Amino acid sequence: MQVASTTQSDHAAAPRAVTMPPPLAAPRFELADSRCGRITCYGDGPTAPTEQRPLLLIHSVNAAATAYEMKPLFEHYRHTRQVYAFDLPGFGLSDRADRIYTPRIMTDAILLAAKEIRRRHGDTPIDAIALSLSCEFAARAGTEAANLFRTLGLISPTGLDRRAEAAAKKGGDKDATRAMPWLRNIFTVPLWKQRFFSLLTSRASIRFFLRKTFGRKDIDEGLLEYDYITTHQPGAENAPYSFVSGYMFSVHALKLYQALSMPVWMVHGVRGDFVDYQGKHAVEGLPNWQIEVLQTGALPQFEQLDKVVASYDDFQTRAAGA
């Protein structure tokens, strides 16, 4: 497979002033779509042609999310295969427009990036790994355009907890979210909109939330510093306010996971505040799923990268032989 250049996209949007360093030290390009706006992508790989399929990494959603969350995986795989990542709408160097951010917007961004990557690599299906809430978006993309993805990886996915299991039994609108408009209205009152977010994203607050994510006092200090930088940019509060108001959580994420037809790899930890996987029994018996549990928090790529990549590479070998 011939490796394509990643220095600039045909679809690059109008240039703008960069007010912070990029989350990944890699060639950048931009894609634009009327629904998800402008998204900034990063891509790199070995100089020699490789037979491995391109890999797309998708960061999570939180107050400080960027492609930096996938940096350990990006740095590892850039030496052996073409690897891509991007900042989701509302985060990093992508558009941070003041609007309501939804699963539809995030899913469209994933589809936009996946289609561009596939175009660059001879129309071959790609591999993708998503983190946390973005696993729900990736699963939706995988059900809507299964031909784009050869495999799908899920790190610490949301939507497999007790509440998701209960929702699956009740049924209802497949596109329903947990949106609380009243809560977003409170957060976005101009008088305190930015002031409250500044309090939420002080270094002390970010450290507090990262410790809950890692499930221990020791965290990745580089991630902390970049989280602080990205949360102190113009418009940084817009997407997070949709996140904390429930707009980006799908009520029926569990059904999206069950509907995936491609090989699926899932890994999660056992420490911290994000360890409720009571509903995973609904997928762990499916023949296309491989699930790994590690003694980590919700960001295993920062704690046990060697075990994460060993598990994922084993999964890739099995998927290739299936």
Side-chain angles (χ1 to χ4, degrees), residues 185-198 241:
N185 289 340
I186 293 174
F187 284 135
T188 56
V189 171
L191 183 62
W192 57 71
K193 178 182 178 182
Q194 292 183 330
R195 188 177 308 172
F196 177 78
F197 190 72
S198 294
Y241 281 157

Side-chain angles (χ1 to χ4, degrees), residues 213-256:
T213 302
F214 278 81
R216 64 182 191 183
K217 289 186 177 180
D218 293 334
I219 62 172
D220 187 89
E221 295 295 331
L223 178 61
L224 168 64
E225 287 306 311
Y226 197 80
D227 283 357
Y228 182 80
I229 292 171
T230 190
T231 53
H232 289 76
Q233 303 297 316
E237 72 278 3
N238 292 326
Y241 281 157
S242 289
F243 164 69
V244 297
S245 302
Y247 279 89
M248 286 192 262
F249 289 88
S250 297
V251 172
H252 298 295
L254 186 56
K255 291 185 177 180
L256 292 173

Side-chain angles (χ1 to χ4, degrees), residues 52 93 99 102 124 170 174 184 196 208 246 251 257 269 283 298 306 308-309:
Q52 292 201 58
L93 296 181
R99 59 180 172 179
T102 64
T124 184
K170 292 181 180 179
K174 68 180 180 64
R184 184 178 182 276
F196 177 78
F208 172 78
V251 172
Y257 293 137
V283 295
D306 56 341
V308 172
V309 298

Side-chain angles (χ1 to χ4, degrees), residues 2-319:
Q2 184 66 36
V3 177
S5 169
T6 60
T7 56
Q8 185 65 37
S9 169
D10 303 351
H11 307 287
R16 70 196 187 287
V18 176
T19 58
M20 68 180 197
L24 301 171
R28 302 200 302 269
F29 61 95
E30 293 186 338
L31 304 173
D33 178 85
S34 60
R35 187 173 301 200
C36 62
R38 180 183 57 238
I39 61 173
T40 298
C41 308
Y42 314 88
D44 202 8
T47 55
T50 173
E51 292 300 319
Q52 292 201 58
R53 295 172 186 267
L55 172 64
L56 173 62
L57 304 174
I58 308 161
H59 68 77
S60 74
V61 171
N62 53 67
T66 68
Y68 193 104
E69 295 174 342
M70 307 306 280
K71 184 176 181 178
L73 291 168
F74 190 94
E75 294 299 330
H76 175 82
Y77 282 112
R78 75 192 302 176
H79 302 294
T80 59
R81 64 191 298 181
Q82 195 71 19
V83 60
Y84 295 88
F86 69 99
D87 291 320
L88 284 164
F91 297 98
L93 296 181
S94 293
D95 267 346
R96 301 201 192 198
D98 187 358
R99 59 180 172 179
I100 294 176
Y101 289 81
T102 64
R104 182 70 269 157
I105 290 174
M106 299 305 186
T107 301
D108 284 349
I110 292 173
L111 292 172
L112 182 65
K115 289 175 182 177
E116 171 63 12
I117 294 167
R118 178 168 175 164
R119 182 191 70 80
R120 290 172 172 234
H121 294 272
D123 239 13
T124 184
I126 70 171
D127 297 318
I129 301 177
L131 175 65
S132 192
L133 178 54
S134 288
C135 293
E136 297 185 19
F137 313 144
R140 188 179 296 275
T143 59
E144 294 178 356
N147 63 310
L148 285 176
F149 305 95
R150 185 182 73 108
T151 65
L152 188 59
L154 310 173
I155 299 177
S156 304
T158 57
L160 292 170
D161 55 11
R162 293 176 180 83
R163 185 165 57 170
E165 187 178 35
K169 294 177 181 179
K170 292 181 180 179
D173 180 7
K174 68 180 180 64
D175 295 323
T177 70
R178 303 189 188 282
M180 296 174 282
W182 61 270
L183 184 56
R184 184 178 182 276
N185 289 340
I186 293 174
F187 284 135
T188 56
V189 171
L191 183 62
W192 57 71
K193 178 182 178 182
Q194 292 183 330
R195 188 177 308 172
F196 177 78
F197 190 72
S198 294
L199 292 174
L200 185 67
T201 56
S202 66
R203 278 192 173 86
S205 294
I206 294 173
R207 184 177 295 277
F208 172 78
F209 286 115
L210 283 178
R211 283 179 172 177
K212 291 165 72 71
T213 302
F214 278 81
R216 64 182 191 183
K217 289 186 177 180
D218 293 334
I219 62 172
D220 187 89
E221 295 295 331
L223 178 61
L224 168 64
E225 287 306 311
Y226 197 80
D227 283 357
Y228 182 80
I229 292 171
T230 190
T231 53
H232 289 76
Q233 303 297 316
E237 72 278 3
N238 292 326
Y241 281 157
S242 289
F243 164 69
V244 297
S245 302
Y247 279 89
M248 286 192 262
F249 289 88
S250 297
V251 172
H252 298 295
L254 186 56
K255 291 185 177 180
L256 292 173
Y257 293 137
Q258 291 176 308
L260 291 170
S261 59
M262 69 286 292
V264 179
W265 171 79
M266 170 181 160
V267 62
H268 71 84
V270 296
R271 292 197 317 263
D273 283 13
F274 308 102
V275 292
D276 182 357
Y277 293 100
Q278 181 170 305
K280 76 174 183 179
H281 66 84
V283 295
E284 62 187 345
L286 298 177
N288 59 320
W289 279 68
Q290 177 177 320
I291 300 178
E292 183 89 16
V293 180
L294 297 178
Q295 300 302 306
T296 69
L299 297 173
Q301 69 273 26
F302 282 94
E303 295 188 62
Q304 296 185 4
L305 178 63
D306 56 341
K307 292 184 178 180
V308 172
V309 298
S311 175
Y312 184 68
D313 290 348
D314 173 69
F315 161 74
Q316 288 287 315
T317 298
R318 295 187 185 191

